[in-house]
Amino acid sequence: MFRLLPARSSKALATAASKRTLLTAAVLPQRTLINTTSSSAAYISLNRAVVPSKTLRTNIYAAQQLRTMFIQTDTTPNQDSLKFIPGVAVMPNGTAEFLDARNAMGSPLAKKLFQIDGVRGVFFGPDFLTITKDQDAIWQLMKPDIYSSIMDFFASGQPIISETADGESGAALDTMIHEDDSETVQMIKELLDTRIRPSIQDDGGDIEYRGFENGVVKLKLKGACRTCDSSTVTLKNGIENMLMHYVPEVTAVEQAFDAEEEVSQLEFEKLERRLMNQ
């Protein structure tokens, strides 16, 4: 049994055609949606589409690729450093730090982040990124560009760091135990790797073991801890107390600096002395 359908008016046909046009246009552009519903998180959706072929009904779902990423931010003890957690692995092994745009050339993500006004340092951890800004920069103005850069990078599928990168990387290798390490050094490395490093990374930073001599453990602070005002407190009240408690041979913990950092530190101390004498 057949039932005749009423004829469609010209207005209905125009509406249907308009819907088809809107549906076709909806899948043509590549759109990035960033919805910062709170100050500590951003929900980012990347909608990639390919122009549909002849049969729209058949190809629309195959042509449309939807990728989502939830980027969470977390504060650190350093007010000029912010921790970004993309929800995916960042560094497969160790960590990497970039202090300027020159040595960031080997990392596509670090290079792009340094193009954002106000970015002073970039640190890659196992599952997070720490970005340090200039003191006069404003996070609210920087965050949208940072979110976009992180999203675009992970959507591209590129390696986060190339083999020829000049950044300081491979921090996990510093605590690798070698055959010629003494029992004391082995205990220090184990404590640094299993008890101390996870806590430091929670604050968006990291430590690098530089040596043990005459009872003094040399450590280099990285990431958010590098320029943090409470770095001395972290070394003395946190790391030093723990190492001295479990390893009696340890008498002190000192911060290690690279050559350029030592020059900067000396100049800063001279400036402090001049200000105090005025």
Side-chain angles (χ1 to χ4, degrees):
M1 182 175 180
F2 297 92
R3 181 169 59 90
L4 295 176
L5 296 176
R8 301 178 66 179
S9 64
S10 58
K11 182 178 181 180
L13 291 174
T15 302
S18 176
K19 289 182 178 179
R20 286 196 298 271
T21 303
L22 292 175
L23 180 60
T24 305
V27 298
L28 290 179
Q30 179 175 342
R31 298 183 301 162
T32 302
L33 304 177
I34 302 179
N35 179 19
T36 52
T37 56
S38 68
S39 60
S40 63
Y43 184 76
I44 301 176
S45 177
L46 175 64
N47 186 354
R48 288 186 167 184
V50 181
V51 179
S53 58
K54 297 180 180 179
T55 309
L56 176 63
R57 185 176 57 185
T58 304
N59 295 338
I60 183 172
Y61 297 108
Q64 195 174 34
Q65 298 176 351
L66 182 65
R67 300 187 64 176
T68 59
M69 175 174 287
F70 183 79
I71 300 179
Q72 186 178 4
T73 60
D74 195 6
T75 57
T76 71
N78 187 350
Q79 63 178 1
D80 292 329
S81 296
L82 200 60
K83 186 177 178 182
F84 292 81
I85 309 171
V88 296
V90 178
M91 282 290 290
N93 297 299
T95 59
E97 186 172 35
F98 303 90
L99 302 179
D100 54 48
R102 181 188 62 81
N103 66 1
M105 297 302 292
S107 170
L109 178 54
K111 178 182 177 181
K112 194 165 187 177
L113 290 171
F114 269 105
Q115 294 174 357
I116 302 173
D117 290 339
V119 172
R120 189 176 64 177
V122 176
F123 176 80
F124 296 152
D127 57 356
F128 67 91
L129 304 83
T130 298
I131 297 177
T132 302
K133 69 175 182 65
D134 295 328
Q135 291 184 352
D136 56 349
I138 302 174
W139 281 121
Q140 284 75 8
L141 301 179
M142 299 172 62
K143 279 183 178 180
D145 291 333
I146 294 175
Y147 290 139
S148 178
S149 297
I150 295 174
M151 182 225 19
D152 288 343
F153 168 77
F154 284 105
S156 69
Q158 300 179 73
I160 192 167
I161 186 171
S162 65
E163 296 180 356
T164 58
D166 294 331
E168 302 174 16
S169 59
L173 300 177
D174 64 335
T175 51
M176 181 179 296
I177 297 177
H178 305 284
E179 295 181 357
D180 57 346
D181 287 340
S182 65
E183 184 178 351
T184 300
V185 172
Q186 291 182 21
M187 293 178 62
I188 292 172
K189 288 183 175 181
E190 184 177 356
L191 283 170
L192 291 175
D193 202 35
T194 60
R195 299 289 298 274
I196 297 175
R197 173 164 284 151
S199 299
I200 299 295
Q201 289 182 348
D202 283 344
D203 287 335
D206 199 6
I207 52 173
E208 183 178 338
Y209 174 76
R210 287 296 185 90
F212 174 69
E213 186 177 358
N214 299 325
V216 179
V217 178
K218 298 282 188 178
L219 297 177
K220 181 180 179 181
L221 297 177
K222 307 177 73 174
C225 300
R226 176 189 290 272
T227 57
C228 182
D229 295 335
S230 60
S231 58
T232 303
V233 178
T234 301
L235 282 175
K236 296 298 181 183
N237 295 353
I239 300 175
E240 184 178 88
N241 289 345
M242 178 175 287
L243 289 178
M244 292 175 62
H245 176 76
Y246 289 102
V247 187
E249 291 82 359
V250 175
T251 58
V253 174
E254 294 181 359
Q255 186 172 357
F257 297 97
D258 293 332
E260 295 180 357
E261 292 176 326
E262 289 180 354
V263 173
S264 300
Q265 184 69 16
L266 289 174
E267 293 297 326
F268 179 74
E269 292 176 355
K270 290 179 182 179
L271 177 61
E272 278 189 328
R273 287 194 294 268
R274 287 198 299 268
L275 294 175
M276 292 177 63
N277 294 331
Q278 289 180 356

